[in-house]
Amino acid sequence: MTDSSAAPLRGGAVGIVTATLAVAAHGMAGGGWADGSALALLIVVSIGIGAMTALPERSTVLLLPALMAGQLLAHIALSLGAAEMHNHSLLPSTAMIAFHAAASVIAGLMIAAAERLYGPITSIVRAVLALLTPLPDGSAVGRVSMSVAVPSVDGTALDWVISRRGPPVSVY
């Protein structure tokens, strides 16, 4: 079971990893480096995949399928966006499938490990910070108290503040 407070971090990591690994695996397999509209499509795909995996009720079981789907959609986005620099179709080659799949598996393992370690690491950090920065004592000397002047009951003290002017009267 994973910590539900780590879900937004998981979504952000999946989105960033989808874009980064897609560009790296795509370039390593001979697909070229993306620019312009290919990057815009890639950003849209990465945000969508990241948002789908950021939901708290999703578990890490869907992490690898989401990364794989993100790689496939990112490949299609990179192929569509930069068609003039590609010599291949929308279907990836065997080498490209291998690079995308290997990158997805490694990234999925790393994200799952980071998510499982999120709770223990943050509890240790909170405990250390609590020791280093204790809360201030409420009975500290030098506290300042303030008093506010109360206007008189009949309202004469603030009589000069109230404006008697209203909006102009219509002539019609």
Side-chain angles (χ1 to χ4, degrees):
M1 198 73 177
T2 58
D3 188 7
S4 64
S5 62
L9 297 176
R10 177 182 59 230
V14 168
I16 291 169
V17 165
T18 296
T20 305
L21 292 180
V23 169
H26 204 78
M28 287 176 64
W33 300 104
D35 62 348
S37 62
L39 285 178
L41 288 171
L42 181 65
I43 289 170
V44 169
V45 166
S46 299
I47 290 173
I49 293 292
M52 286 188 332
T53 56
L55 300 173
E57 59 270 1
R58 304 279 185 204
S59 67
T60 54
V61 174
L62 297 176
L63 184 61
L64 187 60
L67 283 169
M68 292 284 196
Q71 291 301 303
L72 177 64
L73 292 173
H75 170 79
I76 292 171
L78 289 172
S79 297
L80 286 176
E84 66 275 357
M85 64 188 255
H86 281 80
N87 297 330
H88 63 276
S89 67
L90 287 178
L91 297 175
S93 66
T94 306
M96 204 169 284
I97 289 173
F99 279 115
H100 284 297
S104 295
V105 170
I106 292 170
L109 291 172
M110 291 175 65
I111 292 171
E115 189 175 0
R116 287 189 56 96
L117 292 174
Y118 174 77
I121 289 175
T122 55
S123 66
I124 291 171
V125 168
R126 276 188 242 124
V128 169
L129 289 177
L131 292 174
L132 295 176
T133 56
L135 294 175
D137 184 16
S139 64
V141 179
R143 295 184 69 134
V144 178
S145 64
M146 295 179 59
S147 63
V148 178
V150 179
S152 64
V153 178
D154 60 357
T156 56
L158 296 177
D159 205 17
W160 59 274
V161 177
I162 300 172
S163 172
R164 302 287 189 259
R165 183 170 182 257
V169 176
S170 174
V171 183
Y172 302 108

